Amino acid sequence: FDVVQNALSAICVKKAQAFNRLDQEMIHREIQSTVGFSSINEVLQAELQDLFLGVARRHVQKCKEEEELAADVNVKWARIIVEQNLAIFERERGNIREAEEKFRKLETELMATFGQEDPWTAKCSFQLAVTLEKTGKVREALELHESCLKLRRRILGDLHEDTLQSLASAAMARSLLSPLSEENWEASRQ
């Protein structure tokens, strides 16, 4: 979206070839005096996000239909990855409750299908913890961050980027419950 937004922002009405010079100037003045270019960019961004959501949701539905016809693990993975990205997208758009519900469903499915020790299960649990923080469920988020940290240490190692991300997130969640101190940081590292 940033690339599209930047491209749209870079369009220069004065240099566009679709209209003659007088039309270009009139369009430019009208946009500037009414909604402004920032508002147009925001509207376009919202429209593109809605379009993206529609396409992604249709893709998920298509994958679900294919899953019913054939037990293909690749189709399941494709659906899970898209659904996880959709949940992240929903959370970032402010639809936190919907994102939490999606992450909870995905986490349950991943645990049932691939087990708790799976890196994708841990990734989903981590995203659920981030979402819980945003809903104000900090204590539950901290517990989930800490369990993700333990799991990631065990399966990925102490220096893996996902493990380090869990370490930092656990420390931040802990700081939301009490001021960040060396003691709390050490507790997160444990």
Side-chain angles (χ1 to χ4, degrees):
F1 292 111
D2 290 338
V3 173
V4 172
Q5 184 179 11
N6 288 339
L8 290 172
S9 298
I11 292 174
C12 178
V13 175
K14 289 182 179 178
K15 293 181 183 176
Q17 299 299 314
F19 304 100
N20 69 43
R21 185 166 175 73
L22 292 175
D23 289 340
Q24 291 172 6
E25 290 172 2
M26 184 268 306
I27 291 169
H28 184 82
R29 279 192 312 273
E30 189 64 27
I31 290 171
Q32 216 169 16
S33 69
T34 55
V35 295
F37 286 103
S38 295
S39 295
I40 287 177
N41 288 342
E42 290 170 11
V43 168
L44 287 173
Q45 183 176 5
E47 291 292 323
L48 288 171
Q49 288 176 350
D50 290 341
L51 176 66
F52 166 75
L53 281 173
V55 169
R57 287 178 178 144
R58 284 190 298 278
H59 180 74
V60 167
Q61 187 58 41
K62 181 182 172 195
C63 287
K64 285 180 179 179
E65 291 167 5
E66 288 180 25
E67 276 181 69
E68 290 176 11
L69 297 174
D72 185 355
V73 73
N74 292 325
V75 173
K76 186 174 200 130
W77 272 117
R79 177 186 54 79
I80 287 171
I81 290 168
V82 171
E83 282 193 281
Q84 195 167 39
N85 287 332
L86 273 172
I88 292 168
F89 189 75
E90 288 289 1
R91 180 184 68 215
E92 299 309 314
R93 285 185 83 191
N95 301 330
I96 298 170
R97 301 278 184 232
E98 184 177 335
E100 179 185 349
E101 182 181 316
K102 285 181 180 189
F103 282 125
R104 287 191 188 278
K105 285 180 183 177
L106 277 171
E107 183 185 47
T108 300
E109 180 182 4
L110 284 163
M111 283 189 183
T113 306
F114 303 106
Q116 188 173 353
E117 299 287 314
D118 182 77
W120 279 97
T121 303
K123 188 176 286 271
C124 186
S125 295
F126 174 81
Q127 291 298 335
L128 175 57
V130 170
T131 305
L132 290 170
E133 273 183 59
K134 292 185 181 235
T135 63
K137 300 174 185 174
V138 179
R139 193 161 305 283
E140 185 181 356
L142 176 60
E143 291 171 9
L144 202 47
H145 277 310
E146 288 176 343
S147 69
C148 283
L149 176 58
K150 288 176 187 170
L151 175 63
R152 285 176 163 178
R153 278 184 165 151
R154 192 169 50 254
I155 63 176
L156 301 173
D158 284 341
L159 298 178
H160 190 277
E161 63 188 68
D162 289 349
T163 305
L164 297 172
Q165 183 181 40
S166 286
L167 175 63
S169 294
M172 290 303 295
R174 187 175 298 283
S175 76
L176 292 172
L177 295 174
S178 61
L180 190 56
S181 64
E182 191 172 325
E183 180 182 294
N184 286 340
W185 175 254
E186 287 301 319
S188 294
R189 292 186 63 208
Q190 305 297 324

